[in-house]
Amino acid sequence: MSEITPEVVEQHGLSPEEYDRVLHALGREPNLVELGIFSVMWSEHCSYKSSRLHLKKLPTEAPWVICGPGENAGVIDIGDGQAAIFKMESHNHPSYIEPYQGAATGVGGILRDVFTMGARPVANANALRFGRPDHPKMKHLVQGVVAGIGGYGNCVGVPTVCGETNFHPAYDGNILVNAMTVGVADADKIFYSAATGVGNPIVYVGSKTGRDGIHGATMASADFGEDADAKRPTVQVGDPFTEKLLIEACLELMATDAIVAIQDMGAAGLTSSSVEMATNGKAGIRLDMDKVPCREEGMTPYEMMLSESQERMLMVLKPGKEAMAEAIFKKWELDFAVIGEVTDTRHMVLEWGGEVVCDIPLGPLAADAPLYDRPYLSREEYTAWAGITPITERPDSANPGADLLTLLASPNLASKSWISEQYDSQVGADTLQTGGDAGVVRVHGTRKALAISTDCTPRYVFADPYEGGKQAIAEAYRNLCAVGARPLAVTNCLNFANPQRPEIMAQLVHALAGMGKACQYLDFPIVSGNVSLYNESKATGGGSAILPTPAIGGVGLIDDYAQMMTMPFKAAGETIYLIAPEAWATPDPSRSHLGKSLWLSEVHGRDEGRAPPVDLTLEKAAGRIVRELITDGLVSAVHDISDGGLAVALAEMAMASGIGADVQADDKYTAAQWWFGEDQGRYIITVPDTQAFNEALAKGTENDETAAVGFTRIGTTGGDSLLGVSIEDMRKAHRSFFEGWMG
């Protein structure tokens, strides 16, 4: 074994203070295997050492939550003895280094998190952030990431039903690839990761272990230097066909009573899976490294323990069930090996060639891993640091139709069909909606459907992390309500830069506070998630941090999919209403209504102002009203208003249907405020029968909360234009960005 020098410690991502903790935990010097194991288990990616303190404050419970954070994925009750299981994960650094494999293995890893718990995956979603389209590397990154997501998801047979893609210079040197999977299981057949039963066999299944992905977790917990390409060996290589076999083999074994515990080998591979299982079961673990199936010659225990080769699982079986389990995995042409046993020592012991090559107490590795209360700026200090001030000189729109075309052609609002057409959204034949406010998939064999949405507006979070965190949750809530779903729970992917900088830590802390407040008020608990820190790059010159990006994955339930709502206008001659806070009828002179808006940046090249505030009371009331209107059959189309404001939302409804609209502005607002302001808590609805609609509203206003929500009649559907622009010209502008960029 090589000597542990300060340089070796630093290469493993441990600070001198952390290495002192290792010495104290062991009572001696570690060998290289032990150092490697501490290195990955204490990385941000595995230990959450900078975020754990603040994550504990999030609301995670509700009567319908079966399992919250701490397992492979979150589990919620969806009735009839069924559960939805879901999670979101990041694969940011690997996707920048090797976009196809980075994105593909991100999808593979999140699929495993879900089927590990006994669920059949039914839908994938994603949230992608890229840098400037004219950055020399960006086209290659977009093509690779999209091909990787499509290549893996399509092959494994899980539909990709929704997602979002943004562009901003802050992601030039560090793109974000966040992948989400939703699965369905029987509520009484959920599988957990706690290894119990002294002497029970520990079994390795799936693919063989190779040298790919070694130090992946450590690499994902550091910022980028100039040597990004040199880190290529830390990126895993995925095989979706093996994953498909693994899903089927695991689900077949899960139908028996053989499994005590199961864990996928994700970040930090065999190390994290075995440590987590033993820790959760308050047990110990002994592994015989000579029995680990390897695909390369001469692999050492260090390499085996830190490899992040894909499509692998670790299980604890009941004694005597090994032969039956082996027969199932051999049938599916997968490796199967008994590599160890559960012990009562609370230690991880590894043997190789008849010698003990690692003996670590489990406490310091997991439960007692470092926990940091890093310094952060107050909200006021942060606002001053970020230079956020109100807009002083407010521009107006002389030609809203022309401005609308400019927005539709901009990268962030352009049609993403070039992306979505590379994903199979229909495989499995249960997809009911893509391309609307949320993706919707039927729960197979029932009348129920799950609605899924991914949301975050990073420019708001940068301007005001607290309001931006609230807004990300509120928009996910709105998107689910807009398709008629009852919002149930949230998963998240918290992407931030270097937490050792107080201004970045402030973004994380205040965004979490805003998210927690919104989740609590909206009865929308967080049941799973992932933290990705150090998303910044020295390679772009001078160091650049991403925008704070707490991506939210929301899941809701539609009891009868016949009542699912969609976005396109349905017929000419229907009345268009704007649902907005009642207070919106009187413009607020203290607010520009245009701060941080896409209109301000795309049309005027100005990135100014404050993020729009979120009123949670009104969000909840408006969401409930929208769901009731849908259930009562009083509306024919619903769309929430977000990026680009009212005009863009109307244009999306018109382009999706081929039906135009005759709409009027409210002259209490400037044209820019009315058409392009991004005020929150708003929806557009179309009403076929206004008399029935008004009678229902008259009954509803007895409720005080409802009275705070206003309904403004803004026009009628019909014709083939909007704001003087033909639908054909809108569609042409909408398609132009990707068609021009990708040729």
Side-chain angles (χ1 to χ4, degrees):
M1 293 288 174
S2 60
E3 189 195 347
I4 307 300
T5 63
E7 293 74 36
V8 172
V9 171
E10 190 183 353
Q11 284 161 8
H12 281 76
L14 294 172
S15 69
E17 295 76 24
E18 286 170 345
Y19 185 62
D20 282 343
R21 288 182 67 152
V22 171
L23 295 176
H24 180 72
L26 292 177
R28 58 176 169 80
E29 290 260 335
N31 62 37
L32 194 60
V33 178
E34 292 165 334
L35 183 72
I37 286 171
F38 273 106
S39 154
V40 290
M41 289 308 298
W42 285 6
S43 69
E44 290 285 0
H45 200 82
C46 293
S47 73
Y48 295 141
K49 59 191 174 190
S50 296
S51 55
R52 239 169 45 235
L53 197 67
H54 303 285
L55 292 171
K56 288 175 183 170
K57 302 170 191 171
L58 292 172
T60 59
E61 294 177 353
W64 53 90
V65 174
I66 295 173
C67 176
E71 274 291 340
N72 286 291
V75 186
I76 56 170
D77 191 332
I78 57 169
D80 310 311
Q82 291 180 301
I85 300 183
F86 57 96
K87 190 181 179 188
M88 196 183 220
E89 274 267 5
S90 60
H91 230 221
N92 304 333
H93 287 40
S95 299
Y96 185 82
I97 297 165
E98 177 51 74
Y100 185 93
Q101 289 298 349
T105 51
V107 174
I110 198 64
L111 283 164
R112 281 195 300 285
D113 276 335
V114 166
F115 75 74
T116 294
M117 297 197 69
R120 179 171 289 281
V122 297
N124 285 337
N126 55 66
L128 312 176
R129 319 274 174 208
F130 297 105
R132 289 166 297 143
D134 57 1
H135 184 282
K137 201 170 176 176
M138 214 47 61
K139 184 174 170 181
H140 161 72
L141 289 171
V142 172
Q143 289 171 330
V145 164
V146 171
I149 291 171
Y152 205 101
N154 298 354
C155 288
V156 94
V158 178
T160 299
V161 300
C162 65
E164 54 174 352
T165 305
N166 295 152
F167 297 87
H168 190 281
Y171 304 103
D172 278 357
N174 198 127
I175 63 173
L176 302 185
V177 175
N178 296 172
M180 175 178 174
T181 294
V182 181
V184 174
D186 291 339
D188 61 352
K189 291 204 181 80
I190 310 292
F191 288 83
Y192 298 101
S193 62
T196 55
V198 174
N200 280 351
I202 294 169
V203 171
Y204 170 120
V205 300
S207 283
K208 288 180 166 61
T209 295
R211 289 189 170 98
D212 55 325
I214 292 174
H215 283 300
T218 312
M219 180 266 292
S221 306
D223 53 17
F224 273 150
E226 309 286 346
D227 59 342
D229 279 346
K231 292 184 173 174
R232 203 171 290 264
T234 60
V235 179
Q236 312 89 329
V237 178
D239 177 357
F241 297 106
T242 301
E243 181 102 339
K244 175 64 175 162
L245 299 177
L246 190 58
I247 292 174
E248 299 305 332
C250 286
L251 291 177
E252 185 174 333
L253 185 61
M254 285 166 168
T256 72
D257 67 342
I259 299 174
V260 175
I262 179 168
Q263 175 81 28
D264 84 298
M265 293 193 217
L270 190 48
T271 292
S272 66
S273 54
S274 54
V275 169
E276 283 166 23
M277 289 174 88
T279 301
N280 291 347
K282 298 183 170 54
I285 199 160
R286 185 194 65 79
L287 300 180
D288 183 345
M289 304 309 291
D290 293 305
K291 293 183 176 162
V292 174
C294 293
R295 65 166 181 260
E296 297 183 45
E297 287 292 310
M299 286 190 70
T300 64
Y302 180 92
E303 292 170 324
M304 291 179 222
M305 291 306 289
L306 300 195
S307 165
E308 292 183 13
S309 293
Q310 295 291 288
E311 293 88 38
R312 302 179 301 156
M313 313 282 271
L314 201 62
M315 298 180 184
V316 176
L317 298 183
K318 291 180 180 172
K321 301 289 186 181
E322 299 93 327
M324 177 192 70
E326 182 170 14
I328 290 172
F329 281 90
K330 290 288 187 244
K331 180 182 83 177
W332 289 101
E333 299 180 356
L334 295 164
D335 272 280
F336 177 99
V338 178
I339 64 166
E341 63 184 3
V342 179
T343 67
D344 61 1
T345 63
R346 301 267 183 119
H347 275 235
M348 170 189 256
V349 176
L350 308 180
E351 295 173 4
W352 187 53
E355 287 182 21
V356 172
V357 292
C358 166
D359 185 348
I360 303 179
L362 285 163
L365 271 187
D368 306 326
L371 177 64
Y372 296 128
D373 185 0
R374 298 201 186 275
Y376 59 91
L377 306 181
S378 69
R379 287 183 68 187
E380 294 72 25
E381 290 167 337
Y382 176 83
T383 301
W385 171 84
I388 305 300
T389 55
I391 298 175
T392 46
E393 183 267 309
R394 301 176 189 175
D396 196 11
S397 176
N399 186 340
D403 287 355
L404 174 60
L405 286 176
T406 300
L407 281 171
L408 292 176
S410 68
N412 286 317
L413 289 173
S415 165
K416 304 300 189 297
S417 59
W418 180 87
I419 294 175
S420 59
E421 283 165 4
Q422 296 187 50
Y423 304 151
D424 189 339
S425 64
Q426 302 302 317
V427 63
D430 280 321
T431 304
L432 301 176
Q433 181 176 168
T434 63
D437 284 317
V440 182
V441 289
R442 178 173 38 211
V443 178
H444 196 76
T446 74
R447 300 290 302 172
K448 295 180 298 199
L450 292 169
I452 303 151
S453 174
T454 59
D455 297 283
C456 182
T457 313
R459 63 183 184 277
Y460 296 171
V461 190
F462 179 83
D464 185 336
Y466 182 76
E467 286 297 331
K470 269 166 63 181
Q471 191 274 341
I473 297 290
E475 189 174 347
Y477 188 85
R478 266 199 309 277
N479 281 330
L480 297 174
C481 291
V483 298
R486 189 169 71 254
L488 289 178
V490 166
T491 182
N492 61 54
C493 203
L494 306 172
N495 308 273
F496 292 86
N498 185 340
Q500 295 175 51
R501 290 161 55 192
E503 64 274 16
I504 302 298
M505 199 62 208
Q507 293 172 347
L508 176 64
V509 172
H510 302 313
L512 281 171
M515 287 165 54
K517 176 85 172 169
C519 289
Q520 198 162 16
Y521 196 85
L522 298 172
D523 295 323
F524 201 26
I526 292 177
V527 297
S528 60
N530 168 242
V531 180
S532 173
L533 302 178
Y534 296 94
N535 287 291
E536 56 184 83
S537 165
K538 298 187 181 81
T540 47
S544 70
I546 62 159
L547 295 181
T549 311
I552 301 301
V555 174
L557 182 68
I558 301 173
D559 293 320
D560 182 350
Y561 59 73
Q563 294 187 317
M564 176 185 76
M565 185 49 55
T566 58
M567 172 181 84
F569 294 143
K570 300 302 182 295
E574 297 192 341
T575 310
I576 304 172
Y577 284 88
L578 169 66
I579 296 181
E582 186 64 61
W584 208 69
T586 315
D588 180 350
S590 72
R591 284 186 44 221
S592 68
H593 300 279
L594 293 167
K596 288 291 163 186
S597 67
L598 282 182
W599 176 81
L600 194 64
S601 64
E602 294 296 336
V603 175
H604 291 275
R606 290 168 56 180
D607 177 13
E608 292 172 45
R610 297 184 290 214
V614 176
D615 184 325
L616 295 170
T617 307
L618 293 170
E619 288 285 359
K620 193 172 189 176
R624 201 187 70 245
I625 289 167
V626 166
R627 296 198 305 274
E628 285 172 8
L629 291 171
I630 292 170
T631 303
D632 295 343
L634 293 167
V635 292
S636 56
V638 177
H639 191 18
D640 92 306
I641 297 175
S642 57
D643 286 350
L646 176 60
V648 167
L650 287 165
E652 288 169 344
M653 297 172 88
M655 289 187 295
S657 61
I659 300 168
D662 180 14
V663 285
Q664 300 82 42
D666 182 332
D667 58 14
K668 291 197 288 287
Y669 286 86
T670 68
Q673 289 170 337
W674 177 260
W675 295 119
F676 305 112
E678 295 180 7
D679 301 74
Q680 297 296 297
R682 301 185 298 156
Y683 300 80
I684 299 166
I685 58 172
T686 55
V687 176
D689 181 345
T690 48
Q691 188 181 340
F693 177 75
N694 287 324
E695 285 169 7
L697 284 191
K699 282 183 204 158
T701 48
E702 294 150 21
N703 180 312
D704 289 343
E705 261 187 20
T706 309
V709 178
F711 296 82
T712 307
R713 184 174 179 154
I714 61 169
T716 313
T717 59
D720 59 1
S721 65
L722 173 74
L723 299 181
V725 180
S726 72
I727 291 176
E728 190 44 47
D729 284 349
M730 287 192 292
R731 284 176 173 165
K732 206 177 286 180
H734 202 217
R735 290 193 307 260
S736 62
F737 168 69
F738 271 102
E739 284 181 0
W741 195 31
M742 296 298 174

